[in-house]
Amino acid sequence: MSKEFDVVVIGAGPGGYIAAIRAAQLGKTVACIDEWKDPKNGAAAPGGTCTNVGCIPSKALLQSSEHYEQAKLHFGDHGISLKDLKIDAGKMVDRKNAVVRQNNDGILYLFKKNKISFFHGRGSFVKASAAGYEIKVIGKDAETLVGKTVIVATGSNPRALPGVEFDEKLVLSNTGALDLKAVPKKLVLVGAGVIGLEMGSVWRRLGSEVTVLEGMPTFLPAVDEQVAKEALKVFTKQGLKIELSAKISEVKPGKKGVSIAYTDAKGAAQKLDVDHVIVSIGRVANTIGLNPEAVGLKLDDRGAIVVDDQCRTNLPNVWAIGDVVRGPMLAHKAEEEGVAVAERIAGQHGHVNFNTIPFVIYTSPELAWVGQTEQELKKAGVAYKSGTFPFLANGRARAMGDTTGFVKILADAKTDEVLGVHIIGPMASELIAEAVMAMEFKASSEDIARICHAHPSLSESTKEAALAVDKRTLNF
């Protein structure tokens, strides 16, 4: 016998579980389906890629590796001496797994708190009916649910190199890259995107010789050019070997390692023998097992679910959000869409502003940005003003011993409205929130410049960058 709900959410990643909670808050009866399992015991592990093999575990390992590098290279500057500094990569991974489990359990608690029925298994469409949509759940036990409304939030999967499958032992996706039990001697990362740079940073700090092979001729082309140039300089100085315009011709796993053949920027043939290769060339929408054809759910030529600007699909009362639809594949974008769709289902006016979605790369220094880049403004012919301020001139950054980078603000030349904010430096991921709020409320650079910021704080660099737009910095 089927169980009926006002809303059935397929997927409990950041978009799905947030959509389920918001729908429940608005008085709907809600079911959420998710198949992620704890690799140790098979227990339900909601949270999707972000919680299990993405955002959360990568930040846990980045934190551990940052502590190690600080102890190794910088504690002496603070008068702290250590003897016999050692790495236990296995213990680092165990701590990462514990952090992941805490987040899994937290989501299960939130489901219980909000009276959401959770079903552990894979959800797939069966048919449309007068009562809504019939969804089959295949897990430990088979279940049949009927949802008056369905929200698809099935996320994405890592894109593999053509002809080279992930074995998560030698050829790794983000999943395998986060689960290495020992520090490899040599690593190659294919792709200099977010995942590649973050994973490269983790293992480089712990002692690996890391080479990043990027097919594009430009480093971080989506990032403001001035920030990208600074990042390339800093990462190279740290020890990451980054090769642009690298064309992979062969990836050949062996008994103990991987052989990679490629041509470099000059067209010369090159070969590397390494312990592992981490492939981070993007992600693809995940509709595996969803059975969209059973109800006529439309997909585009990339396999993503087709939606309008409100996240409606071609089917009545079926919505889709997050990585499985158009737009940036970011956890916080999925969350915003989840809330907006739940509110739209309840007759409210959900809001998502794609122009103020922040982007972050959690390397050291961190990179964070929102809005348009300088190259985008030039291409669009928009007249603008620019102001930058270096962390080198910030008192808090000096006290922290981390003065790399700067804050950059771009504002309309006529109206002074902030059009983009770009940060490379300490805690950029936290500093960008002020910029997002400023842009959401159509602030001018003068608005930011005239707000009192605590002293000493890193946020003063944002104020000073705003002052620099009008060429009146006070501390540089």
Side-chain angles (χ1 to χ4, degrees), residues 45 169 200 437:
K169 294 178 181 177
M437 181 171 286

Side-chain angles (χ1 to χ4, degrees), residues 59-362:
K59 304 311 162 285
L61 286 184
L62 280 161
Q63 189 66 57
S64 295
S65 65
E66 178 72 6
H67 284 327
Y68 174 75
E69 187 165 72
Q70 286 290 324
K72 182 180 179 182
L73 301 179
H74 305 298
F75 273 15
D77 296 338
H78 296 267
I80 303 169
S81 59
L82 295 173
K83 292 182 179 179
D84 301 322
L85 187 66
K86 295 177 181 178
I87 302 169
D88 186 337
K91 192 165 185 177
M92 286 186 184
V93 170
D94 287 344
R95 176 188 175 273
K96 176 265 295 183
N97 292 338
V99 171
V100 168
R101 190 65 246 174
Q102 289 169 353
N103 281 268
N104 297 145
D105 292 342
I107 295 168
L108 291 170
Y109 163 75
L110 290 171
F111 284 158
K112 186 176 180 180
K113 175 186 174 183
N114 290 280
K115 298 181 173 57
I116 296 165
S117 299
F118 176 69
F119 296 88
H120 188 205
R122 182 183 290 262
S124 59
F125 285 103
V126 177
K127 63 180 180 180
S129 67
Y133 294 89
E134 191 173 305
I135 309 292
K136 179 172 62 177
V137 182
I138 300 297
K140 186 177 180 182
D141 300 307
E143 300 269 6
T144 300
L145 314 181
V146 174
K148 294 178 185 177
T149 301
V150 177
I151 302 174
V152 181
T154 48
S156 62
N157 293 317
R159 185 190 301 275
L161 282 167
V164 184
E165 296 297 321
F166 294 115
D167 62 13
E168 305 301 2
K169 294 178 181 177
L170 295 173
V171 181
L172 313 175
S173 69
N174 52 294
T175 301
L178 289 163
D179 210 35
L180 293 173
K181 300 298 192 298
V183 178
K185 186 177 179 181
K186 292 184 178 182
L187 268 178
V188 158
L189 290 110
V190 180
V194 177
I195 295 171
L197 291 174
E198 290 184 359
M199 288 299 91
S201 293
V202 167
W203 297 110
R204 192 272 308 161
R205 290 171 187 164
L206 299 179
S208 296
E209 183 182 318
V210 180
T211 302
V212 182
L213 302 178
E214 169 58 52
M216 297 288 288
T218 305
F219 183 64
L220 294 175
V223 176
D224 185 86
E225 195 173 88
Q226 186 180 357
V227 172
K229 286 180 178 178
E230 179 71 10
L232 180 59
K233 181 177 72 175
V234 173
F235 296 151
T236 301
K237 186 177 180 181
Q238 289 174 350
L240 281 180
K241 184 181 179 183
I242 300 170
E243 293 201 36
L244 303 176
S245 298
K247 305 300 181 187
I248 308 293
S249 54
E250 184 181 49
V251 176
K252 189 175 181 180
K255 290 183 179 180
K256 294 184 179 181
V258 187
S259 178
I260 300 110
Y262 68 99
T263 55
D264 62 21
K266 297 179 180 179
Q270 303 289 347
K271 184 180 178 183
L272 288 170
D273 293 310
V274 297
D275 300 297
H276 306 277
V277 57
I278 300 172
V279 179
S280 57
I281 56 172
R283 299 182 65 83
V284 293
N286 173 32
T287 55
I288 297 170
L290 185 62
N291 198 23
E293 57 273 13
V295 290
L297 181 62
K298 188 177 179 181
L299 309 182
D300 66 17
D301 56 4
R302 298 176 297 108
I305 296 174
V306 176
V307 293
D308 64 12
D309 59 0
Q310 300 289 300
C311 289
R312 295 185 185 91
T313 71
N314 64 304
L315 301 175
N317 300 317
V318 178
W319 308 69
I321 62 174
D323 285 9
V324 80
V325 303
R326 80 290 178 268
M329 290 185 174
L330 298 169
H332 44 283
K333 175 260 196 183
E335 290 179 353
E336 294 303 304
E337 287 182 331
V339 170
V341 164
E343 291 175 349
R344 289 164 187 158
I345 289 168
Q348 298 183 6
H349 299 282
H351 166 81
V352 180
N353 184 355
F354 274 62
N355 295 323
T356 56
I357 293 175
F359 293 76
V360 181
I361 302 176
Y362 294 87

